[in-house]
Amino acid sequence: MKQVLIRGGQAVVDEVPAPCVEPGTVLVRLDHSCVSVGTEMSGIRASAVPLWKRAARQPEKVTQVLRAVMAQGLTHTLREIEGKLASGEPIGYSAAGVILEVGAGVDDLRPGARVACAGSQCAYHAEVVCVPRNLTVPVPDDLGFVEASTVTLGAIALQGVRRAAPTLGETFVVIGLGILGQLTAQLLRAHGGRVIGTDLDAGRMQLARDLGMQLGINPGDGDEVEQVARLTGGVGADGVIVAAATPSDAVISLAFRMCRRKGRVVVVGDVGLNINRADIYAKELDFFISTSYGPGRYDRDYEEGGLDYPIAYVRWTENRNMQEYLRLLAERRLTIAPLITATYPIERAAEAYQALELNGSKSLMVLLSYPRGSDVAPARVVRNLRARPSRQGRLRVALVGAGGFAKGMHLPNLRSLAEEYQLHAVVSRTGHNAAATATQFGAAYATTEFHRVLADPEVDVVLITTRHNLHANQALEALRAGKHVLVEKPLALSQGEVAAIEGFFKARPDDVPTPVLLTGFNRRFSAYARRMVELTRDRSNPMILNYRMNAGYLPPDHWVHTEEGGGRNLGEACHIYDLFTYITGSRVTAVQAHSLIPRTGFYSASDNFVATMTFEDGSVATLTYTALGSKDFPKEQMEVFADGKVLHLDDYRKLTVTGARAKGVSTSTMEKGQKEELTALAQAIRQGGEWPIPLWQQVQATEIALAIEPFLGGIR
């Protein structure tokens, strides 16, 4: 399918795989989508700014990059940045079309229904989009797709009016008569108020008057505050809605000065917000920010999780605002057709954006149109015509989940191991990411269908780097398809998933080749872990192992803390349980843990705990895992006490040995064994015999994490 992406300061139309429907979502074949002229053109211009200039404007990003360089090295960090730039950014957030498929959990919509969609994270300019239920609303029977495709802009304007809370007969000023200002003026008029509009563009002023705005003031006709005072009998406006877009603080100051005493100002547009106290203090003005489409916006539980707010407590959510805007259009209380400057077919989208760049100030609203729906299923596989043919003897890899870690770590490592591996396919839930990653790293094709690569006889290895809750089932399906599997940690999030994986191998007939399963416990493959095993292999007594993980803070709503992530004990600490298992080479006999009880909701008990394990060989290991510390302190430290020696690991950069003449290990960058892990997997597949990590050890690391969960109170 065709999709519009921003890349290098331009809008381009790429051929990408269509998305698959997911639980709680609907799959929609678009008829029209609406270009937000101001927002989208701003994004395109920003993408053309050189990286050094962007860095100067966003110093916090520089800090993130520097930390990544310190942790992963300059080469890996640059590759990750280059990958993001090459992928391009999807664009669009308002559209309408027909439902193709309905995901599990959506029981009030059906295929064939006409709907409007919102959301910059999903309602892209693309032939087919996958949109969560709460960002989808039915289109009234007597309303066309053209009008309905403006649903997001309408909801934004409507939310601004709701924040202003106008009463019958009040006078409001609308500053800025672009598309949001035009819709705002119509909504205020429909509410029974008197509307004064102002804009530098005389044509926009006249258009607003033609659509029902009663009064207009021209900035060139004198002081605008005095003009408002004259039109309101010297009282001033009851309120002002700012729909302009400018970095200047003058607009917000003007809005305050236009108001009567005890008036209110609502900001909808993107303007400078340095407030002069004198503008608001004496008149005791109220100042409101209107957040996009309404309550629910930027709330992941609402938009992605399907959680609705009770109507008795939140009357107007973003979904209900969308519905109400469409109702007003259907009842002809609002007029949208004169605001549409032009419509371009999707294949000419680049031309549309070029025209906006040349004449953007004159354009209010531009639409993109799409081919009318057919019975043909959307294509979910796109071939990479620049891919090289498969090289004989290489293990062909299908990457499932093309996130930042995969593109910054695994794929560059696969490329450097070209004598062993060849990337064959890329699977991602978003087609543009799959296609861009396949192009960047030379895969034969990109797809959004996981089962497509399982059915591909040319795929030897499936590399799974998806969200944690998908790991076990995807790994098991790939194993059943006869594929070797490298699944990033964690292997599983429940005992049932562990049992299913163990059951697969137990039921495997002896005369049938067994695929290799490797969980991404990469630390054991590092030179540091290997050296520690060498130095403790011939010990005469048990060991004491202490590990400290200065994990860093993640907010409570981060996906790692949700059901997708399983929490940080299952999702990250399992690395260390595997490392303990590797160094001791022993089965665990007892597990216990104590978690911190936070006094506030800022911290969580589930990522601040101390866990202790006892092993059959008598060794005792402890993990201190905390989010309380500073990011400026090294993340991982370890001490091993054994037979008069102390081994100290410092953040996978240095291993020192005290009490013996043996040498340690040091590297200029953090080396955690990811590349060595891939080498070990290739050797195991080619040579047969022992796996890189025995199954019982992969299971043990997972079961230790599961045993610790009850001590932490579960996912917080």
Side-chain angles (χ1 to χ4, degrees):
M1 70 169 190
K2 291 181 174 59
Q3 179 171 355
V4 181
L5 301 171
I6 298 175
R7 187 182 297 123
Q10 294 182 325
V12 298
V13 180
D14 276 3
E15 196 71 30
V16 306
C20 297
V21 71
E22 300 174 6
T25 70
V26 294
L27 201 67
V28 181
R29 188 189 296 276
L30 295 191
D31 189 277
H32 278 77
S33 62
C34 177
V35 175
S36 175
V37 176
T39 301
E40 295 186 28
M41 292 308 299
S42 175
I44 290 174
R45 295 185 190 108
S47 73
V49 176
L51 283 177
W52 66 270
K53 283 190 177 180
R54 293 192 225 178
R57 296 173 184 174
Q58 297 178 298
E60 71 282 358
K61 298 292 185 182
V62 177
T63 302
Q64 291 178 12
V65 170
L66 290 176
R67 284 178 175 152
V69 170
M70 293 293 291
Q72 301 177 6
L74 179 61
T75 301
H76 279 304
T77 303
L78 289 176
R79 283 172 178 167
E80 188 169 347
I81 293 172
E82 289 169 0
K84 290 180 180 179
L85 295 177
S87 296
E89 290 293 329
I91 194 170
Y93 69 168
S94 188
V98 176
I99 292 179
L100 294 177
E101 298 179 54
V102 174
V106 178
D107 53 13
D108 60 340
L109 293 174
R110 296 288 182 270
R114 302 165 68 247
V115 293
C117 315
S120 57
Q121 72 272 46
C122 55
Y124 306 132
H125 298 310
E127 291 185 72
V128 178
V129 294
C130 180
V131 186
R133 173 62 187 89
N134 278 353
L135 293 174
T136 307
V137 294
V139 175
D141 292 339
D142 50 354
L143 188 67
F145 285 125
V146 169
E147 296 90 343
S149 69
T150 67
V151 63
T152 302
L153 293 168
I156 292 171
L158 184 54
Q159 178 62 15
V161 172
R162 294 199 191 287
R163 292 288 282 163
T167 61
L168 199 66
E170 284 191 309
T171 298
F172 269 79
V173 176
V174 178
I175 298 179
L177 294 173
I179 184 58
L180 289 178
Q182 296 283 343
L183 292 172
T184 298
Q186 291 192 52
L187 287 165
L188 286 167
R189 176 65 188 272
H191 199 276
R194 191 166 69 141
V195 185
I196 302 172
T198 179
D199 195 283
L200 295 172
D201 189 318
R204 291 183 176 184
M205 293 270 288
Q206 185 57 51
L207 178 59
R209 288 193 186 94
D210 294 343
L211 296 177
M213 184 181 75
Q214 295 97 328
L215 300 167
I217 56 175
N218 191 327
D221 291 342
D223 188 292
E224 293 162 277
V225 175
E226 289 186 8
Q227 292 185 63
V228 170
R230 282 196 296 270
L231 293 172
T232 57
V235 175
D238 295 292
V240 177
I241 297 180
V242 179
T246 173
S248 171
D249 305 315
V251 172
I252 194 69
S253 176
L254 176 65
F256 289 137
R257 289 183 287 116
M258 286 178 170
C259 284
R260 64 168 170 82
R261 187 180 297 273
K262 301 288 289 184
R264 62 267 198 203
V265 170
V266 176
V267 171
V268 176
D270 185 6
V271 297
L273 290 178
N274 288 317
I275 295 174
N276 180 2
R277 184 174 183 270
D279 289 337
I280 63 174
Y281 177 74
K283 291 193 284 188
E284 198 176 8
L285 299 179
D286 290 330
F287 175 56
F288 300 94
I289 293 290
S290 180
T291 303
S292 203
Y293 338 147
R297 188 69 180 127
Y298 309 115
D299 180 348
R300 188 174 180 275
D301 289 335
Y302 178 90
E303 293 193 336
E304 309 295 331
L307 175 69
D308 198 6
Y309 302 152
I311 196 169
Y313 297 94
V314 184
R315 178 63 183 90
W316 295 106
T317 60
E318 59 182 338
N319 185 278
R320 293 192 271 271
N321 273 339
M322 292 163 64
Q323 291 183 57
E324 179 60 15
Y325 171 71
L326 295 186
R327 184 187 71 82
L328 291 170
L329 283 177
E331 293 180 358
R332 305 299 181 252
R333 304 284 297 279
L334 299 175
T335 302
I336 200 72
L339 304 177
I340 300 173
T341 306
T343 300
Y344 293 82
I346 180 66
E347 56 268 20
R348 292 175 54 202
E351 179 184 336
Y353 286 95
Q354 289 170 1
L356 288 173
E357 182 64 36
L358 294 173
N359 196 30
S361 62
K362 301 297 182 182
S363 300
L364 285 173
M365 186 184 297
V366 170
L367 304 185
L368 299 179
S369 63
Y370 300 82
R372 289 301 169 100
S374 67
D375 296 330
V376 178
R380 294 194 171 107
V381 176
V382 171
R383 293 281 169 184
N384 178 13
L385 300 179
R386 288 181 282 180
R388 294 180 179 179
S390 296
R391 300 174 66 186
Q392 188 174 4
R394 275 48 170 189
L395 294 170
R396 292 159 297 187
V397 178
L399 173 69
V400 181
F405 181 76
K407 290 187 282 190
M409 183 64 69
H410 281 308
L411 293 181
N413 283 337
L414 287 173
R415 178 181 280 171
S416 69
L417 295 171
E419 294 303 312
E420 298 286 354
Y421 294 102
Q422 181 166 350
L423 183 65
H424 182 69
V426 175
V427 184
S428 177
R429 61 186 295 270
T430 53
H432 67 273
N433 184 43
T437 305
T439 299
Q440 181 185 1
F441 290 95
Y445 64 89
T447 180
T448 52
E449 287 185 312
F450 172 58
H451 293 94
R452 173 68 177 78
V453 298
L454 301 188
D456 185 348
E458 295 190 37
V459 170
D460 302 307
V461 181
V462 175
L463 171 55
I464 299 170
T465 61
T466 53
R467 292 285 169 97
H468 299 169
N469 62 318
L470 303 176
H471 286 186
N473 287 336
Q474 289 181 335
L476 192 54
E477 287 191 64
L479 291 168
R480 287 171 175 160
K483 310 300 184 185
H484 303 290
V485 173
L486 169 54
V487 56
E488 263 305 323
K489 55 78 192 167
L491 173 62
L493 294 182
S494 72
Q495 190 61 54
E497 291 177 339
V498 173
I501 291 170
E502 286 187 296
F504 167 80
F505 289 105
K506 288 178 181 178
R508 193 81 173 174
D510 293 337
D511 58 344
V512 176
T514 301
V516 176
L517 170 65
L518 175 59
T519 306
F521 296 133
N522 52 273
R523 282 164 175 77
R524 67 157 59 206
F525 296 99
S526 69
Y528 296 98
R530 296 297 172 96
R531 183 59 174 152
M532 284 190 282
V533 168
E534 290 174 0
L535 293 170
T536 59
R537 180 179 292 119
D538 298 326
R539 66 186 186 276
S540 58
N541 281 284
M543 297 178 288
I544 294 289
L545 302 93
N546 293 332
Y547 205 102
R548 290 170 287 154
M549 177 79 82
N550 178 36
Y553 179 76
L554 291 180
D557 60 351
H558 191 281
W559 73 268
V560 168
H561 292 303
T562 69
E563 291 182 356
E564 285 186 320
R568 301 181 84 176
N569 167 53
L570 292 172
E572 183 177 39
C574 58
H575 264 310
I576 314 310
Y577 309 143
D578 173 72
L579 188 59
F580 291 157
T581 298
Y582 172 60
I583 294 174
T584 63
S586 182
R587 294 185 183 271
V588 72
T589 58
V591 175
Q592 62 177 347
H594 298 277
S595 64
L596 177 146
I597 302 175
R599 294 180 181 176
T600 70
F602 184 77
Y603 291 110
S604 167
S606 64
D607 57 2
N608 289 285
F609 61 90
V610 177
T612 304
M613 286 131 271
T614 304
F615 293 85
E616 278 185 353
D617 72 343
S619 296
V620 177
T622 63
L623 167 65
T624 299
Y625 190 101
T626 181
L628 300 174
S630 167
K631 291 182 179 179
D632 295 329
F633 190 78
K635 181 180 179 182
E636 299 180 57
Q637 303 273 318
M638 184 179 184
E639 298 98 18
V640 177
F641 301 87
D643 286 352
K645 297 190 293 287
V646 179
L647 314 180
H648 177 244
L649 172 63
D650 184 8
D651 224 11
Y652 294 87
R653 295 173 183 273
K654 188 175 184 180
L655 174 69
T656 58
V657 181
T658 304
R661 294 182 179 179
K663 292 184 178 180
V665 180
S666 65
T667 53
S668 59
T669 59
M670 192 179 293
E671 298 291 343
K672 292 187 177 180
Q674 286 94 349
K675 185 174 180 179
E676 292 79 2
E677 174 185 67
L678 288 168
T679 300
L681 176 61
Q683 291 174 351
I685 293 172
R686 295 187 186 286
Q687 298 172 9
E690 292 187 3
W691 288 4
I693 306 178
L695 180 61
W696 75 265
Q697 294 191 10
Q698 297 181 62
V699 168
Q700 174 163 290
T702 306
E703 289 185 332
I704 290 173
L706 290 168
I708 288 171
E709 277 295 287
F711 294 100
L712 311 181
I715 299 171
R716 298 296 176 90

